[in-house]
Amino acid sequence: QTTNSTTASSAQPVSQEIFAMDTYMTVTAYGDNAQKGVTDAVAEIQRLDNLLSIGKEDSEISKLNKSGSAALSDDTAVMVAKALDLYKSTGGAFDITVLPLMELWGFTTQEYYVPTEDEIQSTLQRVGADKLTWDESTKTLTLGDKQEIDLGGIAKGFTSSRIMEIFKKDGVTCGMVSLGGNVHLLGTKQDGSAWRVGIQDPNNTDDMLGVLEANDCAVITSGAYERNFEKDGVTYHHIIDPATGKPSNSGLTSVTIVSKDGTLADGLSTSLFVMGKDKAIAYWKQHADEFDTILVDKDRNVYITEGIAGNFSPDSVSANQVH
Ligand code: ADP
């Protein structure tokens, strides 16, 4: 649904806010073709939401979860292939089959529940992307026994990358999209200066950790503060460690990924969060040409990789640079 819309005069941006993929999104474009860019982008967000939503019974993903096997549409197939690559390269930290666990913990209904160890173990039987069968040539995905998939860990990043393509096709050279705090930036700001992205302090959400200057890339954060509940003094959040069946307890409280590839950035923010600091840094060392990252741990230590260290101004913390 459209909640807000402003229209252009030549110097003013066109901006539209919509609620989709369980979050508020803002699409903004500058310049002569801004209105067309924003209108097309919003239509595409709605189309992808209808395709991917696990909350909509007739979405492609819901139908697949019911039938157990389907030939996928092109966009869904691209996401599945990327998700399976990430499953392999992250040693299983990123796993689109965690949906039964999300349901068990009540994250899909907001009827939160702390399951017993037995319930977790029996649900884990249905989890594991190694039980999926993916036929690349026919784009057919077949689920294992009682399995269900959810592309929520990469859908927003895929969407933001798509919006950048739409902007370019529509002749927009300067714009941005914010999807529930994740941003994707096209070009520089209109005056030629860099975009400034505030990074939230995960350990005190009223505060900012700092500001990152960035252009032409996605800046995507997974944080323990985003969706969570508290029971008996313990906070449980929505990023699940597929190895334990429980909310990840790696010591990290937020992971920001900066990359040209929004899908990758979104998937990696979840993955590195689960992997924890040491494995996350080791992963970055092997893929330093694909992304940069800012890691924050429970003790408020900040680790930032060298590609973006010079563009980050910490407000009140000293960041450790990772080479
Ligand atoms: P948000 O959707 O709130 O921005 P993230 O981008 O961090 O959060 O992704 C979390 C979402 O990804 C969850 O809501 C769930 O749908 C899915 N998810 C949770 N744990 C995993 C995991 N280990 N691997 C893949 N997807 C996951």
Side-chain angles (χ1 to χ4, degrees):
Q1 319 80 306
T2 303
T3 53
N4 182 16
S5 172
T6 47
T7 327
S9 70
S10 60
Q12 287 294 317
V14 177
S15 195
Q16 188 169 334
E17 197 174 293
I18 66 161
F19 187 82
M21 301 184 180
D22 283 333
T23 193
Y24 285 97
M25 307 185 165
T26 310
V27 183
T28 306
Y30 294 80
D32 292 342
N33 303 315
Q35 184 65 61
K36 177 160 175 48
V38 169
T39 303
D40 289 349
V42 167
E44 181 67 356
I45 290 172
Q46 280 159 341
R47 191 185 70 82
L48 289 171
D49 193 19
N50 288 333
L51 199 65
L52 303 172
S53 173
I54 51 162
K56 294 183 178 155
E57 274 197 22
D58 57 351
S59 74
E60 186 175 7
I61 297 299
S62 293
K63 285 188 199 153
L64 167 67
N65 285 338
K66 253 177 256 150
S67 69
S69 183
L72 302 178
S73 67
D74 289 351
D75 287 332
T76 309
V78 167
M79 276 179 263
V80 164
K82 189 92 180 183
L84 295 179
D85 284 349
L86 276 171
Y87 174 76
K88 286 203 199 91
S89 75
T90 63
F94 190 81
D95 191 333
I96 53 174
T97 68
V98 296
L99 181 57
L101 290 164
M102 297 293 290
E103 290 165 347
L104 179 66
W105 286 87
F107 284 110
T108 52
T109 53
Q110 267 126 50
E111 286 166 28
Y112 300 119
Y113 170 67
V114 180
T116 65
E117 198 57 46
D118 280 355
E119 288 170 323
I120 292 172
Q121 290 310 320
S122 76
T123 306
L124 274 171
Q125 309 281 312
R126 303 160 59 194
V127 174
D130 52 342
K131 300 187 188 98
L132 299 170
T133 309
W134 173 232
D135 183 341
E136 186 83 53
S137 60
T138 60
K139 297 184 178 134
T140 299
L141 184 65
T142 304
L143 312 182
D145 191 27
K146 295 191 192 139
Q147 283 197 305
E148 294 172 323
I149 66 156
D150 171 21
L151 296 174
I154 51 172
K156 280 182 257 167
F158 180 87
T159 302
S160 74
S161 277
R162 172 59 55 78
I163 292 171
M164 298 301 111
E165 287 168 24
I166 288 173
F167 278 176
K168 286 182 204 161
K169 180 178 67 66
D170 285 346
V172 173
T173 52
C174 171
M176 68 164 288
V177 56
S178 163
L179 312 176
N182 301 330
V183 304
H184 206 138
L185 311 162
L186 179 65
T188 61
K189 281 204 293 195
Q190 226 189 5
D191 64 5
S193 66
W195 298 97
R196 293 166 56 79
V197 182
I199 309 292
Q200 208 167 21
D201 181 347
N203 303 326
N204 174 8
T205 47
D206 293 335
D207 241 353
M208 286 257 265
L209 197 68
V211 174
L212 182 74
E213 293 200 341
N215 296 312
D216 255 331
C217 63
V219 182
I220 294 188
T221 300
S222 285
Y225 54 84
E226 279 175 49
R227 255 186 289 160
N228 60 37
F229 69 98
E230 208 183 294
K231 180 97 202 318
D232 299 332
V234 182
T235 303
Y236 300 92
H237 61 75
H238 73 305
I239 298 173
I240 299 282
D241 183 345
T244 63
K246 298 175 186 169
S248 137
N249 188 20
S250 69
L252 293 177
T253 47
S254 92
V255 173
T256 298
I257 305 285
V258 180
S259 175
K260 301 255 178 230
D261 179 343
T263 316
L264 179 78
D266 201 6
L268 283 181
S269 67
T270 305
S271 310
L272 300 202
F273 191 97
V274 171
M275 290 158 83
K277 185 197 96 183
D278 293 345
K279 282 190 188 162
I281 289 176
Y283 187 93
W284 172 76
K285 286 185 177 171
Q286 288 181 328
H287 301 89
D289 54 332
E290 293 172 49
F291 74 99
D292 274 289
T293 183
I294 304 171
L295 311 174
V296 187
D297 72 14
K298 278 184 192 151
D299 302 322
R300 218 162 178 259
N301 295 309
V302 179
Y303 303 87
I304 183 162
T305 54
E306 60 191 358
I308 53 172
N311 309 329
F312 184 60
S313 337
D315 283 356
S316 55
V317 292
S318 57
N320 302 293
Q321 200 175 327
V322 179
H323 302 275

